[in-house]
Amino acid sequence: MKKIIVPVDFSPAASNAALFAGELAAFYGAEIWLYHTYETPVAISEFAYPLFDTNELQKAADNELELLKEKTLSNLRTAVNIHTKAEMSLLQDGLTELCDALQPDLVVMGISGKGALTQLLIGSNTIKAVHYLKYPVLVVPPKATFIPVRKIGFACDYKQIQKNTPLDLLKKIVHDFNAELLVLNVDYHNRSFSPDMLHESFVLGELIKDTKPEYHNIESEDVTEGINWFAARHKLDMIIV
């Protein structure tokens, strides 16, 4: 793992994600890109016109990124190489272009459960990134702190596994941290079962057999509740979905 991109909006959740990414980068000897996008606000009137000069917006964004960079470095035990980039763009467009240019191993983003507005803004951007990016996204909860990963849960529905899951990265993390891998499938009275799942489970077993995984079947009417129950019971450090 050599490159990590961290999109930030200068919220507490994003700052925590940057620190988490810094610890991860220190472990792997990777470099970080702190990335921020902004749009030009306009006045609401009969004639739309910019409220701020774009040069002022750029300088302010660059300054905020430098402050976040310094704050992140000051909280790391091991120094890492941190780059910054701010630009006027929609987050989806800018982040996609940056990822295609840098080819990161991981994109790290924060997510918050506080307040309806905060959850809407931060949560929606993070969840959208999971869908449109072609790169693995690590979602960091607001109170999460980095610790050596000892137990990883892989929530698997046994559908198009090779297409939908970055198995090489999964195996690398398991091996690098010498972690346990627990594969779990959540279902309720086999309502999601299909014959193709047997083939997919066999394929997965062959592809990750060198990680020596454990396999678990969870009975739950709600998939999220089933995963949360399993994570708490087995004290997972990371969940991959």
Side-chain angles (χ1 to χ4, degrees), residues 22 29 42 63 80 83 99 127 146 163 203:
V42 295
N63 182 61
V80 299
H83 308 275
C99 285
I127 299 304
F146 180 84
K163 177 182 178 181
V203 171

Side-chain angles (χ1 to χ4, degrees), residues 1-6 18 21-22 24-34 73 76 79-84 101-108:
M1 190 178 299
K2 297 302 180 185
K3 293 180 182 178
I4 300 173
I5 294 178
V6 189
L24 189 63
F27 178 86
Y28 277 108
E31 64 180 20
I32 290 180
W33 285 78
L34 298 178
L73 287 171
L76 294 175
V80 299
N81 192 12
I82 299 181
H83 308 275
T84 62
L102 297 180
Q103 299 288 305
D105 300 286
L106 198 63
V107 176
V108 177

Side-chain angles (χ1 to χ4, degrees), residues 5-201:
I5 294 178
V6 189
V8 297
D9 58 4
F10 309 122
S11 66
S15 298
N16 185 59
L19 179 58
F20 193 101
E23 296 281 8
L24 189 63
F27 178 86
Y28 277 108
E31 64 180 20
I32 290 180
W33 285 78
L34 298 178
Y35 179 63
H36 176 70
T37 61
Y38 61 90
E39 299 176 58
T40 304
V42 295
I44 301 175
S45 66
E46 183 178 356
F47 303 100
Y49 56 89
L51 289 173
F52 299 98
D53 180 80
T54 53
N55 290 330
E56 293 179 357
L57 290 172
Q58 183 67 43
K59 289 179 181 179
D62 289 337
N63 182 61
E64 288 293 326
L65 280 176
E66 283 300 316
L67 291 175
L68 179 58
K69 173 182 174 179
E70 293 173 7
K71 178 182 177 182
T72 302
L73 287 171
S74 68
N75 285 290
L76 294 175
R77 293 184 294 272
T78 303
V80 299
N81 192 12
I82 299 181
H83 308 275
T84 62
K85 180 179 176 63
E87 63 180 345
M88 185 170 64
S89 172
L90 295 174
L91 176 60
Q92 179 170 336
D93 296 339
L95 182 55
T96 299
E97 290 182 7
L98 183 63
C99 285
D100 289 341
L102 297 180
Q103 299 288 305
D105 300 286
L106 198 63
V107 176
V108 177
M109 301 183 71
I111 194 167
S112 174
K114 297 179 180 179
L117 181 59
T118 304
Q119 187 174 16
L120 175 65
L121 295 176
I122 302 174
S124 64
N125 283 332
T126 302
I127 299 304
K128 286 178 183 177
V130 172
H131 287 278
Y132 68 74
L133 284 179
K134 299 183 292 183
Y135 304 86
V137 178
L138 175 63
V139 180
V140 181
K143 295 183 179 180
T145 56
F146 180 84
I147 59 173
V149 180
R150 295 292 177 241
K151 284 189 174 184
I152 298 174
F154 174 29
C156 182
D157 60 5
Y158 298 113
K159 296 177 182 178
Q160 297 182 310
I161 294 170
Q162 289 178 279
K163 177 182 178 181
N164 296 328
T165 310
L167 291 176
D168 289 339
L169 178 61
L170 168 61
K171 292 196 292 183
K172 177 174 177 55
I173 293 174
V174 170
H175 287 306
D176 290 349
F177 283 99
N178 193 28
E180 297 178 51
L181 178 61
L182 290 75
V183 180
L184 60 140
N185 175 258
V186 181
D187 202 351
Y188 189 68
H189 297 332
N190 293 321
R191 66 185 178 188
S192 298
F193 176 80
S194 71
D196 291 339
M197 293 174 63
L198 296 175
H199 173 70
E200 288 288 326
S201 64

